[in-house]
Amino acid sequence: MNLLKGAFNSDGSRFNLDASHALPLSESKAKWANRPVVLGIRPEHIRLSSREQGGIPLRVDTLEMLGADNLAHGRIGDTPLVVRLAHSERPQPGNTLWLHLPADALHFFDSTHGKRLE
């Protein structure tokens, strides 16, 4: 599972990965507003998107070819992330993939004790 540090914004409607990258949420997390948390998402739940669709940019560092699937290892800002891709998707190191992290696939954990929120 990818684990990304960040915080909910002041009204709990977005998860801020850093100053440049935020994810819209399907339901408000206002009770945890401005609290540092860890977002978890599995590589297979991340979808390819585009800049025009509001995708989050992932700079590809390496591609791990596994046969039926490929794992793209990269970074969102300074945060490492792995995304599972179809065998036909073969981005080169240095390429940018635009990603969608579906709200229903996000898991949130308290950054202090690691327990899942909700």
Side-chain angles (χ1 to χ4, degrees):
M1 181 176 280
N2 292 293
L3 299 172
L4 311 167
K5 293 180 181 178
F8 297 111
N9 67 348
S10 60
D11 67 0
S13 65
R14 298 178 76 75
F15 181 79
N16 298 320
L17 294 166
D18 57 29
S20 303
H21 305 98
L23 302 172
L25 301 173
S26 58
E27 59 183 63
S28 176
K29 305 290 185 190
K31 62 183 173 182
W32 296 299
N34 299 314
R35 177 177 170 181
V37 297
V38 175
L39 177 150
I41 186 166
R42 298 183 194 291
E44 62 269 21
H45 293 153
I46 300 169
R47 301 286 172 246
L48 293 178
S49 183
S50 68
R51 176 184 285 195
E52 297 74 28
Q53 294 172 320
I56 301 289
L58 175 80
R59 182 182 37 110
V60 176
D61 294 330
T62 61
L63 182 67
E64 186 177 358
M65 297 176 71
L66 301 176
D69 300 315
N70 295 326
L71 295 178
H73 298 260
R75 298 185 175 279
I76 296 175
D78 292 329
T79 304
L81 185 97
V82 178
V83 59
R84 187 173 80 181
L85 303 171
H87 176 72
S88 60
E89 295 288 337
R90 297 181 181 182
Q92 297 297 309
N95 286 9
T96 298
L97 296 177
W98 294 90
L99 306 177
H100 171 67
L101 283 64
D104 63 347
L106 305 178
H107 306 278
F108 296 102
F109 305 92
D110 183 281
S111 64
T112 304
H113 53 68
K115 292 185 181 179
R116 187 170 177 177
L117 302 178
E118 284 186 57

